[in-house]
Amino acid sequence: MGLRNHHNNHNHHRRPMLQANQSTCALFVGTWVRDDTYPMYQSPECPIIDSEFNCQMNGRPDSDYLKYRWQPLNCQLPRFNGLEFLVKMKGKTVMFVGDSLGLNQWESLICMIHAAAPRTRTHMTRGDPLSTFKFLDYGISVSFYRAPYLVDIDVVHGKRVLKLEDISGNGKSWLNADVLSFNTGHWWSHEGSLQGWDYMESMGTYYQDMDRLVALEKGLRTWANWVDNNIDRSKTRVFFQSISPTHYK
């Protein structure tokens, strides 16, 4: 449903609210509601936002789109508290893995924490595929690992090969995280200059192309098997985000 309808009607939902940590809370069923206490940070004051993601800097004239928060249907989602995050996550590592959806989430989380604790000591290293922002006073690392297909891409005789059953090269960098947030999606449909590979390999056979949904399923099965075989779920929380919309123009 559109933001306009929710802006006009969000006050009429007066049903009893549950706390977000209760099992009956459907976190992913809800709506966006206007909240004039938002945004939680101002883009010009955040040191790490990439210029192409900074709408205000690029001249977007309106700002109402910044004043919406997610409201689950039957529970109250606690407001993010950056200082509380730093205290509760002390000594932990959070890692986003995937494409620009994960990159946006990485930058946004850092900006929300930085806005709440602007004087805490920090250190950032930018790299490819791994970038890390550290909150030194709390021993917290928030990282982004760029892997738009999740599975590995190897160079064979000068050609990029998307290996649908191999994730070990990327996966070795994810093993020590306390929270892992994965995403993949629309890169699998890219063609031409945006396509990130020259060949696909599946079960030892090379393909110039195949049904992209079939390839995506193979890649996701490889990822899921890696999680099952390598992650101790009692120590590491694993999330998978939905596919982001295309945002190239």
Side-chain angles (χ1 to χ4, degrees):
M1 297 179 66
L3 290 177
R4 181 177 300 173
N5 290 337
H6 293 313
H7 174 39
N8 293 335
N9 299 319
H10 73 270
N11 288 323
H12 77 275
H13 295 290
R14 298 299 184 189
R15 69 189 68 189
M17 288 293 183
L18 304 170
Q19 291 300 313
N21 61 354
Q22 294 189 15
S23 60
T24 53
C25 179
L27 284 174
F28 306 107
V29 179
T31 186
W32 292 98
V33 299
R34 186 179 176 92
D35 187 333
D36 286 325
T37 67
Y38 279 60
M40 301 190 71
Y41 63 89
Q42 298 296 330
S43 296
E45 299 172 4
C46 186
I48 70 155
I49 297 181
D50 291 323
S51 59
E52 58 266 35
F53 301 142
N54 193 334
C55 297
Q56 299 296 302
M57 186 190 73
N58 284 298
R60 180 165 177 167
D62 61 311
S63 60
D64 278 357
Y65 68 96
L66 298 171
K67 298 183 180 296
Y68 285 84
R69 62 176 173 81
W70 179 250
Q71 176 61 65
L73 181 65
N74 66 337
C75 57
Q76 189 66 47
L77 191 64
R79 183 181 176 90
F80 180 82
N81 184 315
L83 286 174
E84 185 178 6
F85 180 93
L86 289 172
V87 172
K88 289 188 173 182
M89 295 296 291
K90 188 173 183 178
K92 303 292 186 181
T93 296
V94 178
M95 182 177 288
F96 296 89
V97 180
D99 56 30
S100 54
L101 175 61
L103 174 60
N104 279 194
Q105 294 290 319
W106 176 66
E107 293 184 355
S108 185
L109 177 58
I110 292 170
C111 290
M112 290 193 294
I113 300 171
H114 182 268
R119 295 184 179 180
T120 189
R121 294 181 304 136
T122 63
H123 180 265
M124 182 172 70
T125 56
R126 285 268 194 175
D128 187 10
L130 180 64
S131 297
T132 299
F133 193 98
K134 295 183 178 181
F135 294 90
L136 300 175
D137 296 326
Y138 296 88
I140 295 174
S141 294
V142 185
S143 297
F144 172 67
Y145 188 97
R146 186 180 182 277
Y149 303 98
L150 298 183
V151 294
D152 292 346
I153 296 179
D154 287 346
V155 177
V156 179
H157 301 304
K159 300 295 185 180
R160 301 163 300 171
V161 179
L162 183 63
K163 303 176 76 67
L164 299 179
E165 282 88 28
D166 192 355
I167 202 171
S168 58
N170 288 333
K172 63 185 180 183
S173 298
W174 311 336
L175 290 171
N176 296 319
D178 299 286
V179 180
L180 283 165
S181 179
F182 294 94
N183 91 283
T184 189
H186 70 76
W187 273 80
W188 292 84
S189 64
H190 286 345
E191 298 178 338
S193 62
L194 289 177
Q195 182 174 297
W197 47 269
D198 300 300
Y199 293 93
M200 294 183 182
E201 180 189 351
S202 179
M203 305 301 291
T205 300
Y206 288 84
Y207 300 87
Q208 286 189 318
D209 207 345
M210 70 169 65
D211 185 299
R212 300 303 179 86
L213 288 178
V214 172
L216 171 59
E217 181 179 357
K218 288 176 179 288
L220 285 178
R221 289 186 183 278
T222 299
W223 165 79
N225 288 334
W226 181 89
V227 171
D228 288 343
N229 294 327
N230 292 276
I231 297 300
D232 183 347
R233 301 293 287 277
S234 68
K235 298 179 179 179
T236 301
R237 294 293 302 273
V238 177
F239 298 90
F240 185 85
Q241 300 185 81
S242 60
I243 297 172
S244 70
T246 298
H247 43 272
Y248 297 100
K249 187 175 182 181

